[in-house]
Amino acid sequence: MKNIREDFPILKKMHNSHRLVYFDNAATTQKPKQVIDAIVDLLENHNGNPHRGAHILSVEASRLYDEAREAVRKLINAKYGEEIIFVRNATEGLNLIARSYAETRLKKGDKIVIPISEHHANLVTWQRVCRVTGAELVYMYLDGEGRFTDEDLAKIDEKTKIVSFAAVSNVLGMKRPVKELVERAHRAGAIAVVDAAQAVPHMKVDVQDWDCDFLVFSGHKMLASAGTGVLYGKRGLLNDMEPFLLGGDMIEYVREQTTTFNVLPFKFEAGTENVEGAVALHAAIDYLEKIGWDNIEAHEEGLTKRCLDGMKKLPYIHIIGSTDPEEKTGVISFTIDGVHPHDAATILDSYGIAIRSGHHCAQPYGAHIHAEASNRVSFYVYNTPEEVDYFLEKLPLVRKQMGFKD
Ligand code: PMP
C-alpha cells in the first residue's frame, strides 16, 4: 500500500525535522487528493441548496447528495436508501436515536445494557434517557482482556429494551461479536444499536447480515471531512419515530398551528444539508473500495501484529485488552510504567510521531481498569511497517528521557 501515500498531501509534512508519522487515526484520518478534489469540484462547479430549487445548481447539488446516499447504502448494504440519514457525526446519530426513539418509548423498570468500554457518545446519551424515563443503565464489565463474560451477556434479559455497543472499541480496538449480541438483544425483545465509528472505516459492514436496528458512523474517520456522519435505521422504526430536529426540508405541509412531516430520509434532515461533506464521503468510499476491504483488513492486521510484537518485548509497557492482532483492528492502547501518557505523547511528538494520550472519551472504562489515562496508537491504510519500526525504535527513549535506566 506504499504508493497510496502520494495521494495524501499532509503525509509530506515535516515536524521537528522528521517526516510526520501519523498514528492517531482512531481520532480522525487524513484526506487523499481525491476527496479534497471532490470537495473543491463541488464548491467550484455545482454548489447550490439541494432539494429546494429548479435551477441548475440546486439540481446538480441534489444529484450529488442523492448519489452519496446511494454510495453509503451500498457500502453498508442497507435495503433502502431511505434508511440512510445524513447527520453530523456518530455522536449526533446516537443522540437522534436517544431522543427520537428511546426517550419516548422507555419507562421505569426498563433496562439499557451497554459495555463499560463505550465511548461517551454511546454512554452519556443513555444516561439522559434513563434520567428522563426512569429506565436503568446497566453495564457489562468485560473480563481482564476486554472480552464479554457469560455474566455480562446474561444482563440482556426480558427487561432490556436497548442493547448498544461499539462494533469495534476505540480503546481496546477489539472487534465485537456483533451478530451474537444483536441476536441476544432480539431474543430478549430489545433493539440493538451498533456504534460503528471504528468499524465502518476498517472492515466490510453489512447491516442486513448483522440485523442491527440502528447503526452510526462518522465520515471523518474514513478519509472524508468532518461534519458528515450516517445514521442507519430499519425503515419501519424510522417511520414510527418523531423527528429530532425541526425546520426546512423535513416538512410536508406547514400550517399556522400544525405541521405534517416529509417522508424518509428527509424527515430527519432538517436545514440545509452538508453537500460537500456528503460528496467527500462518497469520494472516500470510492477510494477505500478501490483498495478493497480484504486488503485494508490484512494491512492493518499486519501493522498491528508488528507493533504488538515489538511492544511486548518492553516489560514496562502494558497493553490494554487483548493482544491478539486477529481480534483487533489497528488500535493499540497502552500504559508505560512510571510515565504519564501526556509526557509519552510529547516526547514522541518531538520525533515527529503523533499518538494519542488521555482518556479516549471512555472515562468509566479507565476508572474500571484503574488506568484513567493511557496512550493509543491507531493505524490506517497509509501507514507503513517502516513507520511502525520507527515508532518501536523511539518508544524506549520515552522512559530514558524520563530518567529511567532500562
Ligand atoms: N464512537 C466511537 C467508538 C468512537 O471512536 C468515536 C470517535 N472517537 C465516536 C463514537 C464519536 O465520533 P464523533 O466524534 O465523530 O461523533
Side-chain angles (χ1 to χ4, degrees), residues 26-27 88-92 94 118-119 121-122 166 168-170 195-198 216-221 356 360-361 376:
R88 272 195 311 133
N89 44 34
T91 302
E92 187 176 301
L94 289 163
E118 289 309 293
H119 189 281
N122 194 32
V168 172
S169 157
N170 61 304
D195 172 358
Q198 300 291 348
V216 299
F217 63 96
S218 293
H220 70 95
K221 292 185 197 285
R356 180 71 181 264
H360 318 307
C361 297
R376 180 182 70 190

Side-chain angles (χ1 to χ4, degrees), residues 1 23 34 49-50 77 84 116 138 154 198 226 234 246 259 267-268 315 320 322:
M1 295 237 211
F23 279 175
Q34 290 80 344
N49 201 324
N77 193 32
I84 305 300
I116 188 72
V138 174
Q198 300 291 348
K234 284 185 178 163
L246 308 172
T259 294
K267 182 171 92 170
F268 289 107
I320 297 175
S322 166

Side-chain angles (χ1 to χ4, degrees), residues 96-354:
L96 196 159
I97 301 164
R99 283 293 182 101
S100 292
Y101 180 88
E103 284 191 9
T104 56
R105 283 167 179 75
L106 268 60
K107 55 181 190 326
K108 201 168 177 345
D110 291 341
K111 280 170 43 176
I112 299 173
V113 180
I114 66 171
I116 188 72
S117 53
E118 289 309 293
H119 189 281
H120 295 157
N122 194 32
L123 191 156
V124 182
T125 30
W126 304 121
Q127 286 179 341
R128 188 177 59 192
V129 171
C130 290
R131 206 176 59 236
V132 170
T133 63
E136 187 192 357
L137 184 56
V138 174
Y139 289 95
M140 297 186 274
Y141 286 104
L142 312 172
D143 69 13
E145 297 223 290
R147 298 190 191 95
F148 291 99
T149 64
D150 290 343
E151 197 187 327
D152 287 333
L153 298 175
K155 291 180 180 172
I156 303 173
D157 60 15
E158 74 287 350
K159 286 189 181 162
T160 308
K161 294 293 175 280
I162 297 174
V163 179
S164 190
F165 57 94
V168 172
S169 157
N170 61 304
V171 185
L172 296 153
M174 292 162 72
K175 299 177 208 166
R176 298 312 198 179
V178 177
K179 277 179 87 159
E180 187 191 338
L181 289 166
V182 171
E183 251 172 59
R184 278 182 183 267
H186 287 171
R187 242 183 285 139
I191 62 151
V193 178
V194 177
D195 172 358
Q198 300 291 348
V200 172
H202 304 281
M203 61 176 72
K204 181 69 197 151
V205 165
D206 182 332
V207 290
Q208 292 189 69
D209 182 48
W210 280 357
D211 196 26
C212 50
D213 299 283
F214 294 105
L215 176 139
V216 299
F217 63 96
S218 293
H220 70 95
K221 292 185 197 285
M222 52 184 295
L223 310 181
S225 46
T228 294
V230 171
L231 163 71
Y232 157 82
K234 284 185 178 163
R235 190 165 68 172
L237 288 172
L238 291 173
N239 268 327
D240 280 350
M241 283 157 53
E242 284 279 311
F244 168 47
L245 294 171
L246 308 172
D249 217 30
M250 53 76 66
I251 53 90
E252 182 190 38
Y253 293 110
V254 181
R255 301 194 176 82
E256 281 196 21
Q257 300 298 331
T258 56
T259 294
T260 51
F261 300 129
N262 205 339
V263 293
L264 291 174
F266 312 109
K267 182 171 92 170
F268 289 107
E269 293 183 359
T272 297
E273 298 85 344
N274 179 359
V275 184
E276 51 265 50
V279 161
L281 182 55
H282 189 173
I285 292 169
D286 287 349
Y287 189 91
L288 291 167
E289 295 210 313
K290 212 162 141 201
I291 299 174
W293 294 105
D294 287 348
N295 292 333
I296 292 169
E297 280 195 65
H299 177 72
E300 288 185 19
E301 199 180 307
L303 296 178
T304 307
K305 182 173 182 327
R306 194 179 187 100
C307 197
L308 284 169
D309 286 349
M311 291 171 83
K312 280 182 203 164
K313 290 183 192 139
L314 305 173
Y316 45 81
I317 299 267
H318 304 283
I319 288 155
I320 297 175
S322 166
T323 55
D324 176 357
E326 281 186 29
E327 218 175 336
K328 291 164 86 78
T329 58
V331 173
I332 304 171
S333 296
F334 60 97
T335 55
I336 308 176
D337 283 342
V339 182
H340 191 279
H342 197 68
D343 290 332
T346 306
I347 292 169
L348 288 167
D349 182 66
S350 73
Y351 297 109
I353 304 169

